[in-house]
Amino acid sequence: MEERSSRLLLALVMLFLFAVIVLQYVCPGSGCPLLRLHAFRPSRADPYRAEDETPARFVPRFNFSARDLLRRVDFNIKGDDLIVFLHIQKTGGTTFGRHLVRNIQLEQPCECRAGQKKCTCHRPGKRETWLFSRFSTGWSCGLHADWTELTSCVPAVVDGKTEAERRPSRNFYYITILRDPVSRYLSEWRHVQRGATWKASLHVCDGRSPTTEELPSCYTGDDWSGCSLKEFMDCPYNLANNRQVRMLSDLSLVGCYNLSVMPEEQRNKVLLDSAKENLKRMAFFGLTEFQRKTQYLFEKTFNMNFIAPFTQYNSTRASSVEIDEQTQKHIETLNFLDMELYDYAKDLFLQRYQYMRQKEHQEARRKRQEQRKMLKAKQAHNKEQSDDNATTDYIGNVERWR
């Protein structure tokens, strides 16, 4: 008996050693996923998980009404409604803009030809665009036109010289993309360093562009290529500073680019409040750091679906720039208005996402309950019909027995 037990134990040890040798051959290294217990569990990954590695449970900081959170517009692509994309530099707007013209399921998709920068995005059965953006209408209101420019320019461009009272009663649905201010600032510096100038930007406000005294240049040559980060940060007229707040606010409230109209502290407060209000009232805005959630909210807002899912790119030119803590703090100080706006925007964005997901789950639960009720009613009806048939058969048999 002892000899049998010893043989069995030896066989088990040999089997274990054989399995270890096979495992090392098939999957060498300590990082083998087979060595992790969760590798054997079924994957239930949420495509809308915390994309920037923030905690899955979001704790709101600002109070928003249900009206602020619910974003569903009755966009009539066959009518006169127009989506207007406000493209802020270095926020991932180019990628999002391409999604709009190449990646939406439409009855009449945009026509994009190789070698052409613009696509033709006509309404079904009409030779009229439903999208006002860089990749559909071009820079019709100037290069990277801001809120102040677009709101006064778009109606005139779309409807031409038609008198205001005779223009179609259009709904203009403004949308934009925002980005973490430090990453956006570094990305703009790298872009300028490579020779970008955005000289074609008009900066029109109250019917005119700013004078050179109101908006001095940071460089004297054709461009600012090769500038160091310190040079970029040291220019007091650099439009990269607080760019997102400036481009989303109504500049006419502060005298446009004339800094002598009001004290700096008052000007900053007016600009920030205006940017927050405009952002909140926009039909939609997304965040570069949350690509899948941005896709989800756009689809729910406009009832339009994308063909392929958005991809989260965490490796960018800005992310490759290594800066010390002091430089990080300096960039945050230069962009203190953008930092506050982004905190506000991120909170509103995540609250909207959470609210819409809850609504979606509630609607799915309601549909399941209705389906169960209908199934029970059908089963009860079938049972009642079966009982009636059985009673009829019994009475018929009794009649025959007589």
Side-chain angles (χ1 to χ4, degrees):
M1 187 71 177
E2 289 181 5
E3 188 178 350
R4 268 180 81 184
S5 299
S6 298
R7 286 179 179 175
L8 181 62
L9 182 61
L10 181 62
L12 289 173
V13 170
M14 293 294 290
L15 183 64
F16 173 75
L17 290 173
F18 178 75
V20 169
I21 293 170
V22 171
L23 181 63
Q24 287 297 318
Y25 178 77
V26 173
C27 193
S30 59
C32 178
L34 294 174
L35 299 176
R36 304 188 192 106
L37 290 176
H38 66 75
F40 297 97
R41 297 173 190 160
S43 175
R44 303 175 68 180
D46 183 355
Y48 305 109
R49 65 190 179 280
E51 295 160 292
D52 66 345
E53 298 179 0
T54 54
R57 282 201 168 274
F58 164 65
V59 181
R61 290 176 51 207
F62 297 91
N63 293 321
F64 295 105
S65 66
R67 184 176 179 180
D68 294 332
L69 299 179
L70 183 61
R71 271 295 177 273
R72 281 178 181 160
V73 300
D74 186 20
F75 178 65
N76 184 7
I77 194 171
K78 295 182 178 181
D80 296 315
D81 294 350
L82 194 70
I83 293 177
V84 182
F85 180 32
L86 194 163
H87 185 172
I88 301 173
Q89 289 95 317
K90 312 314 294 179
T91 58
T94 298
T95 299
F96 183 76
R98 288 198 179 106
H99 279 304
L100 293 176
V101 297
R102 296 177 181 270
N103 192 28
I104 296 184
Q105 295 177 3
L106 296 171
E107 178 184 334
Q108 182 174 323
C110 296
E111 185 180 337
C112 301
R113 296 180 179 177
Q116 293 186 355
K117 293 183 178 180
K118 293 190 293 183
C119 302
T120 302
C121 298
H122 284 161
R123 307 178 191 276
K126 295 183 179 180
R127 297 185 62 81
E128 181 182 287
T129 189
W130 56 268
L131 175 65
F132 194 98
S133 76
R134 167 188 178 181
F135 292 118
S136 56
T137 55
W139 301 114
S140 301
C141 290
L143 181 61
H144 288 285
D146 56 31
W147 171 271
T148 308
E149 293 174 291
L150 288 175
T151 51
S152 62
C153 167
V154 172
V157 168
V158 172
D159 297 316
K161 296 181 179 179
T162 307
E163 294 179 10
E165 61 270 14
R166 294 177 57 193
R167 288 175 182 168
S169 55
R170 299 181 187 275
N171 292 313
F172 293 97
Y173 295 112
Y174 286 85
I175 64 174
T176 195
I177 301 290
L178 271 67
R179 186 180 182 183
D180 167 74
V182 175
S183 297
R184 198 213 65 79
Y185 188 85
L186 289 171
S187 182
E188 180 164 341
W189 163 61
R190 291 296 297 270
H191 199 57
V192 168
Q193 195 181 45
R194 295 192 301 272
T197 63
W198 295 302
K199 285 181 177 179
S201 296
L202 302 175
H203 305 299
V204 173
C205 178
D206 284 349
R208 69 175 181 88
S209 294
T211 64
T212 53
E213 288 77 21
E214 291 173 330
L215 192 58
S217 177
C218 287
Y219 54 90
T220 55
D222 293 334
D223 57 43
W224 207 7
S225 58
C227 73
S228 66
L229 180 56
K230 185 180 185 307
E231 289 172 327
F232 193 74
M233 293 188 295
D234 286 348
C235 178
Y237 322 112
N238 196 339
L239 290 177
N241 300 341
N242 295 309
R243 181 180 288 280
Q244 294 179 104
V245 165
R246 192 187 70 257
M247 290 190 67
L248 288 172
S249 60
D250 183 353
L251 295 177
S252 63
L253 297 175
V254 295
C256 301
Y257 293 89
N258 186 351
L259 303 183
S260 64
V261 170
M262 62 180 67
E264 183 180 2
E265 186 175 347
Q266 183 185 355
R267 177 186 174 88
N268 289 337
K269 184 180 185 310
V270 172
L271 286 174
L272 181 60
D273 289 346
S274 175
K276 286 181 177 179
E277 186 63 22
N278 289 338
L279 187 72
K280 184 175 69 174
R281 295 176 65 180
M282 274 185 168
F284 161 84
F285 73 88
L287 299 180
T288 306
E289 290 73 24
F290 297 91
Q291 290 293 313
R292 295 300 298 275
K293 292 181 179 68
T294 292
Q295 175 183 354
Y296 174 84
L297 287 176
F298 181 90
E299 291 178 338
K300 294 299 177 184
T301 300
F302 288 99
N303 193 28
M304 301 168 79
N305 294 319
F306 290 98
I307 300 167
F310 287 15
T311 304
Q312 186 70 47
Y313 294 107
N314 293 320
S315 178
T316 61
R317 287 192 177 97
S319 65
S320 66
V321 178
E322 293 185 6
I323 56 173
D324 55 33
E325 187 177 348
Q326 185 178 357
T327 304
Q328 168 96 11
K329 293 292 183 186
H330 187 39
I331 294 174
E332 291 175 358
T333 301
L334 289 172
N335 293 275
F336 71 102
L337 294 177
D338 272 12
M339 295 294 294
E340 190 169 339
L341 175 67
Y342 186 79
D343 285 344
Y344 175 89
K346 184 176 178 180
D347 196 273
L348 176 56
F349 176 87
L350 292 176
Q351 283 199 54
R352 280 182 178 172
Y353 169 76
Q354 199 173 61
Y355 186 83
M356 295 295 279
R357 289 282 275 182
Q358 288 173 354
K359 284 287 183 184
E360 187 178 40
H361 293 153
Q362 290 169 1
E363 183 65 19
R365 193 182 306 117
R366 186 187 63 79
K367 286 183 178 179
R368 287 195 300 270
Q369 289 173 349
E370 286 182 357
Q371 288 173 351
R372 281 196 290 267
K373 284 181 182 179
M374 290 174 63
L375 182 60
K376 285 181 180 179
K378 187 176 180 180
Q379 289 173 342
H381 176 72
N382 290 341
K383 186 177 184 303
E384 185 179 342
Q385 201 171 29
S386 178
D387 291 344
D388 289 344
N389 291 338
T391 303
T392 303
D393 290 345
Y394 176 75
I395 293 173
N397 289 334
V398 170
E399 289 294 330
R400 284 198 300 274
W401 294 337
R402 286 181 180 177

